[in-house]
Amino acid sequence: MYKAIGFLCILAGCAGWGSSLARQEKERVRHLRILFQTMGRMRSEISYGKHTMPEICLLLAELNDKCYSECFERIYKRTAGENGTDFPKVWEEELGNCLDRLPLREDEKRTVTELAGSMRFREGNGQAGRVGQAETFLEGRYRQAEETCENRSKMIHSVSILTGLLLAILLL
């Protein structure tokens, strides 16, 4: 009786672990899509709206995703106020804090956080071009992650259940 309960607990734990990893993959795809769309909006606001970066952050604060909208709102408040804080520094700090909790890869996080620093002293077309480069990079990562997400999720579920079976056999 105890062995059967132990077997079920080990199997359930490993299956839950697999579900958690699969959910993390889906979250990564969702965040890549949001960042890709955000970069597209930034590029169009720079090119066509002729807005400054703090103004764009105010516009991006209206995003539906709470994590990003609060982050862009904090960037706007810190840079548009009277204290005159350096925009690239604030951008990197705030987005770094926001992205650290997310299931993104380091190069994806770095592309977004270092964006403002690489746009310093450029005119509008240069800034839009730099944002366009980040947008293209994120689009590639998003498309690739979206294509492989379903297969990776199935593989993760299978491996986690097989791991649970192996552990149950070895321990019981």
Side-chain angles (χ1 to χ4, degrees):
M1 180 67 160
Y2 290 119
K3 285 188 178 188
I5 292 172
F7 178 81
L8 290 175
C9 286
I10 290 171
L11 195 58
C14 287
W17 170 67
S19 292
S20 171
L21 290 176
R23 191 172 33 256
Q24 217 173 23
E25 274 299 310
K26 290 178 183 171
E27 276 295 300
R28 178 174 172 260
V29 171
R30 185 178 78 82
H31 286 289
L32 283 171
R33 184 185 73 241
I34 291 170
L35 288 172
F36 160 63
Q37 292 170 344
T38 301
M39 292 298 131
R41 183 158 180 207
M42 283 177 63
R43 184 179 42 78
S44 67
E45 292 295 339
I46 291 170
S47 295
Y48 305 114
K50 305 296 183 200
H51 294 288
T52 64
M53 286 301 289
E55 293 171 339
I56 292 171
C57 288
L58 180 61
L59 295 171
L60 293 174
E62 299 169 359
L63 290 173
N64 290 336
D65 194 277
K66 184 179 178 183
C67 171
Y68 296 109
S69 63
E70 290 176 353
C71 179
F72 287 120
E73 187 174 347
R74 284 193 305 271
I75 292 171
Y76 174 75
K77 286 180 181 175
R78 286 182 61 187
T79 57
E82 296 176 25
N83 58 5
T85 309
D86 189 29
F87 182 80
K89 179 183 171 194
V90 172
W91 174 275
E92 190 170 336
E93 286 175 12
E94 292 293 339
L95 272 171
N97 292 337
C98 178
L99 297 178
D100 277 342
R101 301 177 298 233
L102 303 179
L104 297 171
R105 296 189 178 145
E106 286 303 314
D107 57 341
E108 296 160 353
K109 292 177 186 178
R110 193 172 43 252
T111 298
V112 176
T113 56
E114 294 176 357
L115 181 64
S118 65
M119 293 186 342
R120 220 182 232 169
F121 307 119
R122 290 190 182 178
E123 41 82 35
N125 290 336
Q127 287 181 345
R130 179 61 188 103
V131 173
Q133 289 173 349
E135 179 186 14
T136 303
F137 172 77
L138 291 170
E139 179 184 21
R141 287 298 179 95
Y142 163 63
R143 301 284 182 219
Q144 180 185 18
E146 187 177 46
E147 290 172 4
T148 62
C149 181
E150 190 65 34
N151 289 335
R152 284 182 60 97
S153 294
K154 288 178 184 176
M155 189 237 358
I156 288 170
H157 284 294
S158 299
V159 168
S160 66
I161 290 172
L162 288 173
T163 303
L165 286 172
L166 180 66
L167 279 174
I169 290 169
L170 289 174
L171 296 176
L172 300 176

